[in-house]
Amino acid sequence: MNTLRRLATAALVAVSSLTGLAVQAQVAPSAAEAARYQGLHAAAHAGDAARIASLAAAGADLNARDGRGRTPLHVATFAKQRGAIQALAKAGAKLELLENDRYDAVTIASVANDEESLRLLLSLGASAKLVTSRYDGTALIAAAHLGHAGVVKQLIAAGAPLDHVNNLHWTALIESIVLGDGGPRHQATLKALVDAGASTQLADREGRTPLQLAKSRGYAEMVKMLEAARAR
């Protein structure tokens, strides 16, 4: 593990210690939780759009929460039940709500690399601009971290803030470098961000620019991209 990887890990552990929570991504409903669901949560998990419409017409709470603060929309998104997502939105479910770990449906779909559900959510009016997660990040930052280039492109097109800085002092562009592996997926992610006009000059907390970070990690293709962007 090189120095930058150790620093990245230490930063994540430090934030975890402050919150008293283990570092993890979103938590999907377990099989046991899903088995206990009733009403809209059960219908959302099963993708039963007709049941959703019936329950909504009867006055069911479209934004009810389970034990982890997940709404039926969160559950449908975790389960990739796009018919349920559509039915919930049509019935008037709120698209911007955060669950207990502060993730919205857009970020859940983005982290899962679920481009189809993300496309649907955005078409229904869900926002790509929300501040989410315990790191005060965005769906774009989360997707860039994971090298989900297709998701990144969708979020950029939907107006996601390109240069949002999270509480680790990282942007989406920086995360594509320091939390990526320098391979094709993260290269494509970095290219999408650079082409969209994301800042290549915003530095991390220690003052290191994306170019310096890419050089220190030996990510030659990323270095080429960033040097070309600097020369423009």
Side-chain angles (χ1 to χ4, degrees):
M1 185 182 290
N2 62 29
T3 300
L4 282 174
R5 178 64 70 180
R6 286 197 298 271
L7 287 171
T9 301
L12 289 169
V13 170
V15 172
S16 175
S17 297
L18 289 173
T19 61
L21 297 169
V23 173
Q24 59 187 5
Q26 301 93 329
V27 179
S30 67
E33 285 177 303
R36 291 194 296 270
Y37 279 153
Q38 297 180 354
L40 282 172
H41 282 89
H45 190 268
D48 191 340
R51 179 67 173 155
I52 289 169
S54 175
L55 288 167
D61 182 359
L62 293 165
N63 305 304
R65 306 277 188 163
D66 71 5
R68 294 190 65 91
R70 306 182 197 98
T71 67
L73 181 67
H74 295 137
V75 169
T77 305
F78 274 121
K80 301 182 180 179
Q81 295 288 8
R82 296 171 194 111
I85 292 171
Q86 182 114 30
L88 287 162
K90 182 178 179 180
K94 293 182 180 178
L95 306 181
E96 74 281 5
L97 296 180
L98 309 181
E99 43 86 91
N100 287 357
D101 286 324
R102 296 180 54 204
Y103 293 107
D104 66 326
V106 165
T107 310
I108 290 167
S110 297
V111 168
N113 202 22
D114 183 359
E115 292 192 48
E116 200 171 333
S117 293
L118 176 61
R119 189 173 294 108
L120 174 60
L121 285 161
L122 294 173
S123 75
L124 293 168
S127 176
K129 301 178 182 180
L130 299 181
V131 174
T132 66
S133 87
R134 72 198 67 176
Y135 304 114
D136 295 331
T138 61
L140 182 64
I141 290 178
H145 159 196
L146 295 165
H148 296 336
V151 167
V152 164
K153 290 174 184 176
Q154 277 199 58
L155 294 170
I156 290 170
L162 294 175
D163 296 323
H164 178 86
V165 179
N166 66 16
N167 60 21
L168 299 176
H169 212 81
W170 291 338
T171 63
L173 193 147
I174 288 175
E175 286 218 5
S176 74
I177 300 167
V178 301
L179 295 181
D181 60 9
R185 292 183 305 108
H186 287 93
Q187 290 170 28
T189 297
L190 178 62
K191 184 177 188 305
L193 290 163
V194 170
D195 289 349
S199 174
T200 59
Q201 298 306 310
L202 285 173
D204 69 6
R205 188 171 280 124
E206 285 72 42
R208 294 168 297 193
T209 66
L211 179 57
Q212 290 170 328
L213 291 165
K215 283 182 175 179
S216 68
R217 294 173 75 84
Y219 292 164
E221 292 303 316
M222 288 183 159
V223 168
K224 288 179 186 176
M225 275 185 255
L226 292 164
E227 287 180 335
R230 185 176 62 175
R232 290 174 191 165

